[in-house]
Amino acid sequence: MNFRQFAFNNVFRNTRTYVAHFLSSSFSVMIFFTYSLLTFHPDLQGAIVSDSLTLSMLGTMGMKISQYIVFIFSFLFLLYSVSAFMKLRKKEFGVLLLLGMSRKQLNRMLFIENISIGITAIITGILVGVIFSKLILLICATMLAVEHGLPFYLPWKAMLLTAAAYLVLFVIVAAFTSLMTKKETLAELIKSEDKPKPEPKASTKLSVLSLLLIGLGYACVFLFVQRHIFSFAVLFGGVLLVIIGTYFLFTQLSVYVMRALKKRDPIFFNRTNLLTISELIYRMKDNAVMFFMVTIISATAFTGIGTSLAIGDPGLAEMKNPYAFSYISFNESDLKNNFEQKHIRLIEETLEREGFTYQMASYSPTYTQEGFALVKLSEYNRLASALGYDPEMLQNGETLAAPSTISQNNKYKLKGAGADTVRMVNFEGNWDMTMHIKKVLKHIVIPEAFKIYIVTDSDYDTFNAGNLMKVNYIEFVVPKWHDTRAVTRELTAAIYNEDTHSMQYIPFQFSALVTQWVESRQTNGMLLIVSGLVGIVFFTFAASFIYFRLYADLSRDEEQYRMITKVGLSRKELAKTLTRQLGLMFFLPLLVAFIHSSVAFIALQRLVDFSIVSHTLAIFSSFLVVQIIYFFVTRWRYLNHLYQKVM
């Protein structure tokens, strides 16, 4: 057996230790390959370019930035996992040095081990990525609303980029690995597992401070949304307080709680609680930083994915404009839109032919010198009825302040109309009137760039007298507007036909909500893919951190439980004790991450009119299921190993 074979055999002999490192590395390679696959896909770029150059630019930038993020975190993750292996194998290294191996040979052995694992992970990650590339392209096409899908192609550029990038990464990590064992003496390596641990302590002040900081952080986030103080400093300050509070939560409060439980005799001396609590005090202290990192990484991933899903929700498009189709007709005294009735009939006939139910209503605003748009009460009520809102009542001299944009709606909800009256002067300047604002409406019924006021029909006629310009808005409410892409395409082609191409002035405008929504989905689809894949990578790394920490303490656990079983600990009690400890390690960081993310989602819900509960539940349940599976697999492997060594 030569030296290289000896190094390879070392990897196979430490399969249990290396398996999480290998799988996580392969997964990281696969995610990086997926980003490259999408970045280099020519059809994907072409489909987005056809809709918007800006979206294409943003999408390409997002993919590249995400690749950098995944790459940097992969480097940090690999360093962390390799350092965990070094701690596990210190005694083994000491024995090898004792038997005559030189430091140079030891470093060479570690370099070969890491490079062999890295190359295997690169090949596995790319192969798995290629196998699932068709599925990935199908999912991405749906997210990006690419109508005809994305065809499969052989991504040579993506494969070469991924292989080259990760080969460099593994070489750097392997070089760092060689430096990790240089500082310690032979005696320190041999006795690394025999050092006694001091009993962990916790500060009462810092424990209380952790809760205060987290509470203050939550308060800042709610202040940001509740009072609409859209300040980066407030939001960033809130997040920073929560992060610092979470650090003290794990390093101080968790140990403080365990020590408090230890002092309560009825709890501490109840069955196996003595063993569980005593062990958890050490585990909480040893793993506090790891718990903190897992929590922050997981909370960031959940919040990022949830926000992206909410932004891409059709409810957000409806908040801005509730109408599936809008037809605007411009009419002056000497220039009429002769196409109006023809186009309205065309829209109605097309919707009926394709089986879409719809309601139609129209309004003709008039404008004041102050830049207000006035709408008749009767026209407003017809629009409100089509959208399912209650009708309103007014007297002459009264008006309703109607929000026309999301920001204005939020402002009205927070501060009201700002005054009880509003002065209006008609455009010709021959009539002015101070109107009493009866109330502020809660929903966007008339999406406009102007401030909207609803007035009685007679007041409207007074203000509009002498106005020769008449703009007529015809709005269509279609419940299944998400499915009107084909109808929109047909109507756009029919309305803007060859006749209109030769006209210098087109006296109408036609727009469809589904077009705006598709454009929004393409922007947010990129954001969702980026945040989703980065979030999954972070979550995988976080889960692997727990695995590494668990196996780093395995030798100590074997010795400890071997002694305890000699005094009567049964197999069932051992399983129960370890399940409690593992459960806390796996689910405590996840629980805190869920709480942090829930606060973020509750704050987000206050900014939108549609429900994000389904998105929140989908994210939490998906990650929880993965964590439960990971927990049971790890528990099964860990217990089997202990049974073999201890029982």
Side-chain angles (χ1 to χ4, degrees), residues 578-626:
L578 280 173
T579 301
R580 285 180 182 177
Q581 293 176 21
L582 293 180
L584 202 69
M585 288 182 71
F586 272 81
F587 296 107
L588 182 61
L590 196 66
L591 176 65
V592 179
F594 279 170
I595 294 171
H596 289 344
S597 303
S598 298
V599 171
F601 289 141
I602 291 170
L604 179 63
Q605 182 66 80
R606 292 179 180 275
L607 295 175
V608 297
D609 288 342
F610 58 91
S611 173
I612 61 169
V613 174
S614 59
H615 297 319
T616 307
L617 292 177
I619 294 166
F620 285 173
S621 55
S622 303
F623 282 94
L624 183 62
V625 167
V626 173

Side-chain angles (χ1 to χ4, degrees), residues 260-440:
L261 289 174
K262 191 177 178 181
K263 291 175 183 175
R264 293 182 175 274
D265 292 349
I267 297 175
F268 187 64
F269 292 107
N270 184 21
R271 296 178 180 274
T272 56
N273 282 356
L274 183 149
L275 185 59
T276 304
I277 294 172
S278 299
E279 184 60 22
L280 276 177
I281 292 175
Y282 286 94
R283 283 199 189 275
M284 294 304 295
K285 191 68 178 179
D286 289 348
N287 300 318
V289 176
M290 183 269 292
F291 286 161
F292 162 72
M293 288 175 60
V294 171
T295 300
I296 298 303
I297 288 172
S298 301
T300 306
F302 300 154
T303 307
I305 296 171
T307 306
S308 301
L309 284 172
I311 292 173
D313 193 287
L316 190 63
E318 279 186 287
M319 277 178 63
K320 299 175 186 172
N321 176 14
Y323 302 108
F325 299 105
S326 297
Y327 184 88
I328 308 174
S329 179
F330 305 100
N331 293 286
E332 297 181 37
S333 58
D334 56 345
L335 186 60
K336 301 286 185 185
N337 175 19
N338 298 320
F339 298 100
E340 181 176 319
Q341 292 306 314
K342 176 187 171 185
H343 288 163
I344 299 304
R345 279 200 305 276
L346 175 67
I347 296 171
E348 290 181 309
E349 288 169 1
T350 307
L351 287 174
E352 288 169 4
R353 188 193 70 213
E354 297 298 327
F356 288 100
T357 57
Y358 68 93
Q359 291 191 60
M360 184 182 73
S362 63
Y363 67 97
S364 300
T366 188
Y367 300 93
T368 71
Q369 289 188 10
E370 294 80 10
F372 303 147
L374 307 185
V375 176
K376 282 182 181 179
L377 178 65
S378 59
E379 292 177 341
Y380 169 81
N381 280 336
R382 281 196 289 274
L383 291 164
S385 173
L387 293 171
Y389 302 136
D390 295 331
E392 300 291 342
M393 301 283 287
L394 278 178
Q395 301 291 329
N396 285 339
E398 290 182 337
T399 185
L400 299 169
S404 55
T405 61
I406 292 176
S407 60
Q408 196 177 63
N409 196 18
N410 290 333
K411 187 178 176 183
Y412 280 162
K413 285 177 182 175
L414 187 66
K415 300 178 179 176
D420 294 333
T421 59
V422 57
R423 183 171 178 269
M424 300 176 183
V425 181
N426 70 347
F427 221 80
E428 285 69 29
N430 54 14
W431 184 265
D432 70 281
M433 190 172 180
T434 301
M435 309 284 288
H436 170 65
I437 301 174
K438 185 179 178 182
K439 70 175 182 180
V440 173

Side-chain angles (χ1 to χ4, degrees), residues 144-185:
L144 298 173
V146 179
E147 199 166 8
H148 301 296
L150 296 168
F152 177 77
Y153 80 114
L154 201 57
W156 287 111
K157 289 182 180 176
M159 292 163 71
L160 289 174
L161 176 67
T162 308
Y166 271 84
L167 189 60
V168 171
L169 181 67
F170 280 111
V171 168
I172 295 172
V173 171
F176 268 101
T177 308
S178 304
L179 299 174
M180 290 179 184
T181 57
K182 278 187 175 178
K183 294 179 182 177
E184 292 175 285
T185 63

